[in-house]
Every structure is written in C-alpha cells, then in structure tokens.
C-alpha cells in the first residue's frame, strides 16, 4: 500500500475519534463571529462519530457562527451533554437569544436526548431564557438530569419563564410515559427574588426528583424561601441545598426547618449569610434533632445568631457520624461566646469540625438597629398578615387557639378566660378544665406560648389556685411536647422571646411583664418526665446568659434554673 494511502486512512481514523465521546473547545478564547470562523469546528462536529458531549465554554459565539454550528448538530442524535457556559462574552444582549434558538432548534431536529445542559455565566437575561424556552419544553429535555444556569441574570421574568418551561416539560414527558427526572438545578446570582423563586418552587414540587438545588444570591426573602421550603418537602432524595446569601429571617427559617426535617438524604445545608437569626437557628436545631443522619456540612455563618442559639445548634449535631464541618463564623457570640462554643464542641469530641470563628461580629448591643433595612419590607408583609389574622382570629387573636370540637360552648368558656385571665375564671372551669386545655391547637407555637403565659399569670400562692395552674400548664405542655422536635423547639423559642430572654425580630411582639407565676409554672413542668431534657437545655442556656432580665422575679428564676440544670445533667 502506498504511503499516501496510509496517511489518508490515518487522517480519516483520527477524525472518527474512535473510543471518544467528547469534542472540546473549552477555554480557547476563540472569537467566532461568522460561518468562516467556525468552518474547522463544523467539520470536526460533522466527522465526529458518536458525539455525546460538546464543550464550547470559554469562547464567544455570534449569531451567524451559532447558525453554522447548529447545522452540523442537526445530525448528532447521540448528543447528551452541552457544556455551553461563558460563550457570549462581549456580545450584545440582542445577539444571544437568536443564537440560543438556533442551537436549540438543531437539537430538536436531531432528536437528541440531553442529560446535561450548562449555560452558566452567559448573562443573557430574561430574553435569553425565552431563547431556550422551546428547547426546555421539547422531547430533547425529557431526559435532562442536570440544568446549570448560574449567573445568567434571568431576573424575575426569566425565572417565571423557566419555571413554566420545566412544568410543561414534566407534563409532556409524563404523557409520553417517561417523566422528567431532573436531579441537579443550579441558578445562583440570577436576581430571581420572591416571585421568581415562588414560580420555580411550583416546578420543583411537581418534579419531586431533585438531589441538588443551588440558588445562592438571588434576593429571595421569606415568602420565596417559604415557597421553596414547601417544594423541598416533595423531593425526598435531596442531598444538597444551597440558598446562601438570601434573606430567611425568622419566618423563612422556621418554614425551612419544617421542610428539612423530612429530608433524610440531606448531606449539605448552606444557609450562610442569609439572616437565619437566633429564632431560626433554634428551629433548624429542632429539625437536626429529628433526623438528617447523613449530614456532612451545615453552614449558618453570618446569620446574626447569638451565642445561646449557637450552642443549641452545636448540641443538635451531636451524634451526626458523617459530619465534616459546622460553620458558625460571622455571628454574634463575642469572645466568651466563641470560647463557650469551642468548649461545647470539644466536650462532644467534635472540636475539629467547627469552622473558624475569626469573623465573629461580637455580642449585639441592646439597642442594635442593624435590621432596619428590612423592616419596611417586613412591615408591609405583616400588615397583610395582620389584616388576615383579624379576619380569621378575631380582634383579640384567640378565636383559633382552640380546635373546633362538637361542644362549641366549651371552647367559648376557655376563650373567655384567655381574653381576660383571672384565677376565679380558671377555677370556675372546674373538672372539665383539663379537657378544655387539651383542645388547644398546639400546631401554632406562638399561640401555645400565649396560652401558657395567660394561664400561669393567674398563679397565686394558694393551694387550690396553684394546683389548678400547674395541672393546666402541665396538660398544655404535655401535648405541645408530644409534637415533632421542630414544633416543640419553635414553642420553646417563642417562650424565650416572650420572657425577654431573646430579642425578637418581630417588633410587633409586645413586651411582657414577667410574673413569678410564669417561671414557677415553667419550673414545675420542667421537673416532669414529659418535659424533654434537650428543651430544658435550651431554656437553661438562655437563662444562664440573659437571666438578668428576670431580676424582678429572682427567687422564681433561680428555682427554675436549678431545676433545668438538674434535668440537663441527669
């Protein structure tokens, strides 16, 4: 055989890429403006047999060049992975949608079935999402497992278009007998805000197949966080949840805590720089107590969390055999608080798992007003909630404290007491008092706390009254603690706030004049078997650090502290 023939055969074999499945132009910095500039690339694509993965990231692609590449892709039915991030640098925003549409149409023509689509770092905005809308709805994406759209500037509008496309894809793929099972969703730095996140939450809830969700730095506040939390409950195989640098606040944190307690496959939780705050941290600790056996990383950094709440979180991760890192940096512990946290982790032989505390913000001042930036937003939300509460709960907010029963007059008797508590009214309830107390709806932690405080407020050092108060509060707490850890932790958190041991972010909560009866009823309950030792530990942590606010009831306070210490060291 002539040497020229051998050379031709060798060149042909090289272009068939025998044994390879990926063609990569990654990071070459090519400026591809027209068909001529991609001539060689088009030839490579056309001659590549069995092409499964195409990497174009790190170049810059114009409309005409995209159209030429698209023509070559029309015959590539085996293509599964499109790594097309960072490929429009320097292009006009108006160029990107038509380029994406050309590429998407080519994939639809080819009959390809994608498993990965990465369009991150393309800054294409809402119009760019419209450029891939048809592709995402098509059969090409019925098999999609990973969708990466990080740093694309989608905005609220783009997020809503994306959500609609995913929902349509799921419906169409289900009708075709092979429902979409997206596993990885990445969309950080996209300014999705509440409406975009809420729209995507609807898609996530429908999918139910997610294993990783990354949505950091999207300007999402508690309404959007709550919507995402609800959706996460429907994705039982979720392993990684990254919502770093959003704004949870108390309500978002509590909603997310309720969600993650259902996610037993969760390995990585990143809620750093998201204003989880102390009440939220306690709620998350409650979820940790209930499960999450596979947890490897927990990030609650830069969340305005106080020392006592951080200690509650630290104790909640005890026994997590797979834990590799607990990040509580950048919170509000102070030097003594940081040392106490290190000591607590060391006592559990977990000190090496605690991340750096070098950026601690120090203990907050009593008149700290750092949350003022969010107050306007939250006040608007709370005004709407308050209007709803007034309509649903009545002016005094006690209408729904009692669950509806067959004997409505019984509920009205207890309601009458709660509106205007007195020892005489409590005693007049007689033998049916405990039955009425057991009708209290304990699903709302703040209302359970309210009922407890109202009953204990009528305490008198008279045998009959004392017994009536203790029996009533014991019955209430026995039922409250029979709930999930998350709900009972929320109750303890609400009680701590009401007693003045923790500053609430909700400025509408009125300061309570703490009475000895409040603390004595709590002390009596804490001594009973139904009162969980870990809940006693939470109370003891806050009482030890902030007990000065109860100086007016120092005798009752000290009795309570003694009992709590006994429960936690028993």
């Amino acid at each position: 055989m002539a040497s020229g023939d051998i050379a031709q055969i060798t060149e042909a074999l090289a272009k068939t890429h025998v044994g390879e499945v990926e063609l990569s132009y990654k990071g070459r910095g090519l400026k591809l403006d027209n068909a001529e500039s991609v001539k060689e690339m088009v030839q490579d694509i056309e001659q590549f047999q069995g092409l499964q993965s195409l990497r174009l990231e790190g170049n810059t692609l114009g409309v005409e060049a995209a159209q030429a590449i698209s023509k070559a892709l029309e015959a590539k039915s085996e293509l599964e992975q499109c790594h097309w991030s960072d490929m429009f640098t320097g292009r006009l925003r108006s160029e990107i949608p038509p380029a994406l549409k050309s590429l998407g149409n080519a994939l639809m023509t080819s009959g390809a079935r994608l498993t990965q689509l990465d369009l991150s770092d393309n800054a294409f905005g809402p119009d760019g999402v419209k450029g891939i809308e048809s592709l995402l709805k098509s059969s090409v994406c019925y098999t999609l497992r990973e969708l990466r759209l990080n740093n694309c500037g989608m905005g609220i509008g783009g997020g809503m278009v994306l959500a609609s496309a995913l929902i349509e894809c799921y419906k169409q793929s289900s009708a075709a007998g092979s429902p979409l099972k997206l596993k990885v969703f990445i969309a950080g730095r996209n300014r999705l805000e509440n409406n975009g996140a809420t729209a995507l939450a609807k898609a996530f809830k429908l999918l139910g197949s997610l294993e990783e969700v990354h949505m950091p730095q999207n300007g999402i506040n508690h309404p959007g966080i709550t919507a995402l939390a609800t959706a996460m409950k429907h994705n039982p195989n979720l392993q990684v949840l990254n919502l770093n640098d959003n704004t949870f606040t108390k309500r978002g944190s509590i909603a997310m805590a309720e969600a993650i307690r259902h996610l037993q496959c969760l390995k990585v939780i990143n809620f750093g720089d998201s204003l989880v705050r102390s009440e939220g941290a306690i709620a998350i600790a409650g979820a940790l107590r209930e499960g999450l056996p596979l947890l490897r990383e927990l990030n609650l950094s830069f969340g305005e969390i106080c020392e006592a709440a951080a200690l509650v979180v630290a104790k909640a991760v005890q026994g997590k055999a797979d834990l590799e890192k607990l990040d509580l940096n950048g919170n509000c512990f102070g030097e003594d608080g940081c040392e106490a946290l290190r000591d607590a982790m060391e006592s559990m032989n977990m000190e090496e798992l605690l991340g750096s505390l070098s950026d601690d913000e120090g203990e907050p001042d009593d008149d700290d007003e750092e949350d003022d930036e969010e107050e306007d937003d939250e006040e608007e939300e709370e005004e709407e909630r308050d209007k709803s509460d007034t309509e649903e709960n009545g002016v005094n907010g006690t209408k729904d404290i009692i669950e509806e029963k067959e004997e409505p007059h019984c509920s009205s008797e207890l309601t009458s007491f709660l509106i205007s508590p007195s020892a005489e009214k409590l005693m007049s309830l007689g033998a049916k008092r405990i039955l009425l107390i057991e009708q209290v709806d304990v699903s709302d932690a703040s209302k359970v706390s309210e009922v407890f405080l109202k009953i204990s407020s009528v305490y008198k050092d008279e045998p009959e009254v004392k017994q009536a108060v203790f029996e009533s509060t014991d019955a209430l707490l026995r039922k409250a603690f029979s709930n999930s850890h998350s709900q009972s932790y929320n109750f303890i958190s609400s009680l701590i706030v009401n007693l003045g041991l923790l500053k609430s972010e909700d400025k509408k909560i009125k300061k309570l004049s703490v009475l000895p009866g409040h603390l004595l009823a709590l002390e009596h309950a804490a001594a009973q078997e139904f009162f969980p030792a870990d809940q006693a530990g939470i109370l003891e942590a806050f009482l030890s650090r902030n007990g000065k606010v109860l100086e007016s009831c120092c005798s009752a306070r000290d009795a309570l502290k003694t009992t709590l210490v006994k429960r936690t060291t028993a």
Side-chain angles (χ1 to χ4, degrees):
M1 182 180 291
S3 60
D5 293 334
I6 295 174
Q8 288 179 350
I9 293 172
T10 302
E11 183 180 358
L13 286 173
K15 289 186 176 181
T16 61
H17 298 269
V18 175
E20 295 182 20
V21 296
E22 181 175 275
L23 179 59
S24 177
Y25 291 88
K26 180 179 180 180
R28 295 192 186 181
L30 302 174
K31 193 173 187 296
L32 309 171
D33 295 323
N34 49 41
E36 182 62 29
S37 65
V38 293
K39 184 177 180 180
E40 183 179 340
M41 183 185 296
V42 167
Q43 289 177 346
D44 286 347
I45 293 172
E46 289 175 340
Q47 295 173 7
F48 199 118
Q49 301 300 310
L51 179 63
Q52 294 181 25
S53 176
L54 178 61
R55 309 196 76 106
L56 298 178
E57 65 264 55
N59 300 289
T60 178
L61 198 62
V63 176
E64 189 180 330
Q67 290 171 341
I69 293 171
S70 298
K71 193 67 178 176
L73 290 176
E74 289 180 356
K76 299 301 171 182
S77 61
E78 296 179 41
L79 189 63
E80 296 179 357
Q81 300 179 20
C82 295
H83 301 279
W84 295 348
S85 64
D86 187 23
M87 64 176 193
F88 295 113
T89 300
R91 298 293 169 180
L92 296 175
R93 181 74 66 88
S94 59
E95 292 183 81
I96 301 176
L100 290 172
K101 284 182 180 178
S102 293
L103 294 167
N105 289 338
L107 295 176
M108 288 186 276
T109 300
S110 73
R113 294 292 185 269
L114 294 185
T115 59
Q116 294 183 37
L117 177 59
D118 187 356
L119 290 167
S120 298
D121 301 316
N122 279 315
F124 47 53
D127 290 339
V129 184
K130 293 177 182 177
I132 59 172
E133 183 179 7
S134 296
L135 173 64
L136 291 173
K137 291 179 179 179
S138 74
S139 59
V140 176
C141 290
Y142 288 1
T143 51
L144 198 62
R145 296 294 178 265
E146 297 186 14
L147 179 59
R148 300 170 183 266
L149 296 168
N150 200 58
N151 191 31
C152 290
M154 288 189 287
I156 295 171
M160 296 177 79
V161 171
L162 175 60
S164 178
L166 290 174
I167 290 172
E168 184 63 23
C169 183
Y170 178 82
K171 289 179 178 178
Q172 295 290 347
S173 61
S174 296
S178 181
L180 173 64
K181 295 181 180 179
L182 189 67
K183 292 184 177 181
V184 177
F185 179 84
I186 300 176
R189 299 185 66 189
N190 271 292
R191 306 192 315 274
L192 295 170
E193 301 183 17
N194 290 331
N195 289 341
T198 299
L200 284 166
K202 293 177 182 177
F204 297 162
K205 183 177 179 180
L206 196 62
L207 289 171
S209 56
L210 292 168
E211 295 180 5
E212 291 188 29
V213 173
H214 301 261
M215 296 175 66
Q217 202 173 344
N218 268 297
I220 308 171
N221 297 327
H222 74 82
I225 296 296
T226 299
L228 289 172
T230 301
M232 293 306 111
K233 291 181 188 177
H234 297 268
N235 289 268
N237 295 319
L238 191 69
Q239 297 179 29
V240 179
L241 182 56
N242 177 6
L243 295 173
N244 187 284
D245 199 8
N246 288 291
T247 306
F248 281 50
T249 64
K250 171 187 170 182
R251 280 177 281 175
S253 300
I254 289 175
M256 194 56 73
E258 173 60 23
I260 63 175
R261 75 184 184 90
H262 297 281
L263 303 174
Q264 297 305 303
C265 296
L266 207 50
K267 296 178 180 179
V268 177
I269 298 173
N270 186 345
F271 297 159
D273 203 14
S274 292
L275 285 183
V276 167
R277 293 192 173 134
S278 298
E279 291 173 89
I282 293 171
I284 290 169
L288 295 173
R289 285 280 188 178
E290 279 195 73
L292 303 176
L294 305 179
L295 188 66
R296 290 204 310 254
E297 294 182 23
L298 175 61
N299 184 344
L300 297 178
S301 61
F302 299 93
E304 294 188 1
I305 300 170
C306 72
E307 173 203 348
L311 288 171
V312 174
V313 173
K315 291 176 182 177
V317 300
Q318 186 174 18
K320 305 294 182 191
D322 295 333
L323 190 70
E324 297 174 1
K325 185 175 182 180
L326 173 62
D327 191 347
L328 291 168
N329 195 22
N331 284 295
C332 308
F333 307 153
E335 290 185 16
D336 291 343
C338 289
E339 191 61 34
L341 184 58
R342 293 189 188 97
D343 289 345
M345 293 294 286
E346 185 176 0
S347 70
M348 299 184 291
N349 295 318
M350 301 176 75
E351 65 273 18
E352 72 281 0
L353 307 183
L354 181 64
S356 170
L357 299 176
S358 60
D359 295 316
D360 185 72
E361 296 286 341
E363 295 182 72
D365 297 329
D366 291 338
D367 56 351
D368 195 353
E369 297 179 356
E370 288 183 351
D371 16 305
D372 284 349
E373 292 179 0
E374 292 180 348
E375 287 303 319
D376 292 340
D377 226 18
E378 294 204 350
E379 282 175 10
E380 288 180 11
E381 295 282 344
E382 288 176 314
E383 282 173 8
E384 292 180 10
R385 184 175 56 127
D386 289 344
K387 288 178 184 176
S388 176
D389 284 349
T390 300
E391 292 171 3
E392 296 177 8
N393 301 332
V395 175
N396 293 297
T398 56
K399 185 176 177 182
D400 287 341
I401 289 177
I402 312 300
E403 296 173 339
E404 291 185 6
K405 298 291 178 180
E406 293 181 2
E407 299 179 39
H409 67 278
C410 292
S411 295
S412 65
E413 287 180 271
L414 185 53
T415 301
S416 175
F417 165 78
L418 293 173
I419 291 173
S420 180
S422 70
E424 291 73 20
K425 284 185 180 179
L426 185 65
M427 297 299 294
S428 70
L429 295 175
K432 61 186 176 183
R433 182 176 59 249
I434 302 303
L435 177 62
L436 293 176
I437 295 296
E438 290 174 345
Q439 293 177 14
V440 171
D441 179 4
V442 295
S443 63
D444 188 324
S446 63
K447 288 182 177 177
V448 177
S449 177
E450 178 187 350
V451 174
F452 173 83
L453 293 169
K454 287 189 174 184
I455 295 173
S456 56
S457 70
V458 304
Y459 173 91
K460 292 182 180 179
D461 196 15
E462 299 173 7
E464 291 185 356
V465 176
K466 183 190 296 187
Q467 182 179 356
V469 168
F470 287 169
E471 287 178 350
S472 300
T473 52
D474 282 359
L476 176 67
L477 297 192
R478 185 180 290 106
K479 184 178 181 182
F481 288 132
S482 67
N483 264 342
S484 68
H485 271 81
S486 293
Q487 288 180 316
S488 58
Y489 267 52
N490 290 342
F491 160 67
I492 287 292
S493 178
S494 180
L495 192 59
I496 289 170
V497 168
N498 287 136
L499 293 174
L501 297 172
L502 174 63
K503 182 180 178 181
S504 175
E505 68 181 55
D506 186 351
K507 291 190 174 182
K508 294 195 176 185
I509 292 181
K510 296 179 180 179
K511 289 186 178 180
L512 174 75
S513 296
V514 180
L515 302 172
H518 294 139
L519 305 182
L520 292 173
L522 192 54
E523 187 271 333
H524 182 271
Q528 310 307 311
E529 289 186 5
F530 67 77
F531 202 104
D534 57 328
Q535 312 281 20
I538 297 174
L539 275 173
E540 194 276 327
F542 279 89
L543 195 61
S544 296
R545 285 154 182 80
N546 304 314
K548 289 182 180 180
V549 300
L550 302 177
E551 196 64 38
S552 62
C553 307
C554 58
S555 179
R557 177 199 63 192
D558 294 344
L560 172 59
K561 185 175 180 180
T562 299
T563 298
L564 292 173
V565 170
K566 287 180 180 178
R567 287 304 312 276
T568 55
T569 56

